[in-house]
Amino acid sequence: MNESPFAVNPFSREIRVLLIENDLAEVRRFKEVLSEAGEKLFPVTWADRMAEGLSRISGDSVDLIALGLSLPDSSGADLFARVHAQASHLPIVLLVSAAQETEAQQAVLAGAQDYLIRGKWESSVLPRVLRYAVERKAVERMKDEFVSSVSHELRTPLAIVKEGVSLVLDGVSGPLTADQDKILKVAQDNIDRLARIIENLLDVSELDRGRMKLKIQPIDIFDLIRKKAEQLAPKIREKGIEFSVQIPSEKKMMEADPIRVEQILTSLLGNALKFTRKGSIVLSVTEEPDRLICQISDTGIGIAREDLPKIFRRFQQFGRKDGPGEQGTGLGLWLSQQFIELHGGSVWVESEQGRGTRVFFSLPKPVVPAVEPA
């Protein structure tokens, strides 16, 4: 069992710092300030390149990473993403220039604990920032473990309830009246919704811990998209929404995780359906030399221009109304973005309030090695 972050006085606990920074003046000042605060409380290991720093993250030898965003072998958002991917279990505090503050703020949204601007932080601030970063990360870890544990515990009883309702709907226990059938179908829909929420929470937990691994395999991507569309079509048309699918008829083999691609499609089509009261939804696929692009267009309520930059933030919701109806958790688009980017693709949105939305995502085609002439 992990030690509670409040089990010992946080101001007397040793914090082992891995400093990854190329600016020698900043390194010198960083070490001097921590030495004054108590050298034994803040032992510092230094690396001046990303690769060297990553090689020093092993076992439990590091409690916190202080990361400069300008290194010889990487910089900016890409540098943070690569370090965070390998050390998502550790708190990361960024050391940035004033010009990099926007990048630092984006990194905080993506998982960094805090940032300090070079030349502007006071000596008394550094030890406190590092300690608070460690404590916040410990609390986050406890929260993630709790969510993961509760979600796992809910899975089994929910599966039993779902199976029981399915058996009754199938007439195993005898014929049903029309009202009974209607009530049980509503129950079944809500059980499925709860199951999706639980799976989303488990996926968030795995992504936060850096444990999410894709199960890549050869798949006929056109066939997979077509079958998922056929599966979701009745629910869309049930609302009186016209649904059309424009996918090439030939076979197209790609390397991807079929479960995650289906999850992306379910989420994006579900969002289109949720915010389209009338009109149409179109699912289309086009090819470019190095990637495949899937587009989901709808004639729904659209998204305000000022909200577009926030659309892929975790727990972000737009157009949510109080009252009955499925309201979601605000995780679907964020998870879709994570799965798409894990495949090496990208996702983007075009929308205008009152005039519908177009969501695009790309998946890279496999590189076919050139065959040299005999």
Side-chain angles (χ1 to χ4, degrees), residues 123-370:
S123 299
S124 59
V125 168
L126 180 59
R128 187 166 67 247
V129 166
L130 300 187
R131 287 203 178 281
Y132 287 174
V134 169
E135 297 306 312
R136 282 197 303 272
K137 190 68 175 181
V139 172
E140 282 183 12
R141 193 176 298 119
M142 290 174 65
K143 176 206 69 177
D144 291 341
E145 289 173 358
F146 173 77
V147 169
S148 179
S149 175
V150 170
S151 299
H152 277 290
E153 289 299 318
L154 286 172
R155 259 178 162 177
T156 300
L158 189 65
I160 293 170
V161 172
K162 180 177 180 178
E163 181 63 22
V165 171
S166 296
L167 288 172
V168 176
L169 277 170
D170 290 340
V172 172
S173 59
L176 299 173
T177 66
D179 284 345
Q180 289 171 334
D181 184 80
K182 183 178 179 180
I183 291 168
L184 285 170
K185 283 180 178 175
V186 170
Q188 188 177 54
D189 287 344
N190 280 278
I191 290 169
D192 289 340
R193 178 181 170 230
L194 182 55
R196 288 195 300 273
I197 291 172
I198 291 171
E199 291 302 321
N200 283 347
L201 289 172
L202 289 170
D203 286 339
V204 169
S205 179
E206 292 296 293
L207 285 161
D208 283 346
R209 296 180 185 191
R211 296 179 182 176
M212 177 64 69
K213 304 294 182 186
L214 296 180
K215 296 178 181 178
I216 299 294
Q217 61 191 67
I219 60 171
D220 182 345
I221 190 70
F222 288 168
D223 185 60
L224 183 149
I225 295 173
R226 193 179 297 108
K227 286 179 178 176
K228 176 52 65 172
E230 290 170 358
Q231 180 186 342
L232 297 174
K235 187 174 182 180
I236 296 173
R237 292 179 177 132
E238 190 178 86
K239 276 187 64 176
I241 306 295
E242 183 183 340
F243 182 45
S244 61
V245 180
Q246 301 167 5
I247 302 174
S249 58
E250 70 264 22
K251 191 172 186 179
K252 173 60 64 174
M253 298 303 296
M254 289 183 65
E255 298 282 326
D257 182 331
I259 292 175
R260 298 307 178 189
V261 174
E262 286 190 12
Q263 195 170 342
I264 293 163
L265 291 166
T266 299
S267 175
L268 299 184
L269 283 168
N271 250 29
L273 177 61
K274 189 185 302 182
F275 297 111
T276 302
R277 299 188 182 98
K278 60 181 181 179
S280 63
I281 295 173
V282 179
L283 168 62
S284 61
V285 180
T286 56
E287 287 191 78
E288 292 184 356
D290 60 345
R291 63 180 184 169
L292 176 145
I293 297 177
C294 185
Q295 175 180 343
I296 296 169
S297 305
D298 66 61
T299 58
I301 61 176
I303 303 165
R305 181 177 299 177
E306 61 269 21
D307 288 332
L308 284 173
K310 312 173 202 170
I311 194 168
F312 292 109
R313 291 183 187 174
R314 195 189 306 201
F315 301 116
Q316 188 71 58
Q317 299 190 60
F318 302 102
R320 179 172 181 157
K321 305 280 191 240
D322 292 332
E326 184 170 335
Q327 297 181 340
T329 59
L331 289 172
L333 285 175
W334 182 82
L335 282 170
S336 294
Q337 181 188 47
Q338 302 305 305
F339 296 144
I340 290 164
E341 290 180 352
L342 281 173
H343 278 88
S346 58
V347 58
W348 62 100
V349 176
E350 297 174 358
S351 187
E352 188 176 341
Q353 201 160 26
R355 302 191 65 178
T357 301
R358 294 162 300 286
V359 181
F360 305 81
F361 72 89
S362 68
L363 295 175
K365 290 182 178 179
V367 177
V368 180

Side-chain angles (χ1 to χ4, degrees), residues 96-103 117:
V96 301
S97 66
Q100 293 174 313
E101 187 168 11
T102 299
E103 284 182 295
I117 298 178

Side-chain angles (χ1 to χ4, degrees), residues 9-20:
N9 181 353
F11 292 98
S12 63
R13 176 185 168 189
E14 177 189 77
I15 294 177
R16 297 161 297 178
V17 179
L18 171 60
L19 174 60
I20 310 176

Side-chain angles (χ1 to χ4, degrees), residues 66-110:
L67 177 65
L69 280 187
S70 298
L71 300 178
D73 51 349
S74 189
S75 64
D78 180 63
L79 166 59
F80 169 73
R82 293 169 71 180
V83 173
H84 186 252
Q86 187 163 328
S88 61
H89 61 292
L90 292 173
I92 299 175
V93 174
L94 303 174
L95 308 175
V96 301
S97 66
Q100 293 174 313
E101 187 168 11
T102 299
E103 284 182 295
Q105 291 169 349
Q106 292 299 317
V108 168
L109 291 174

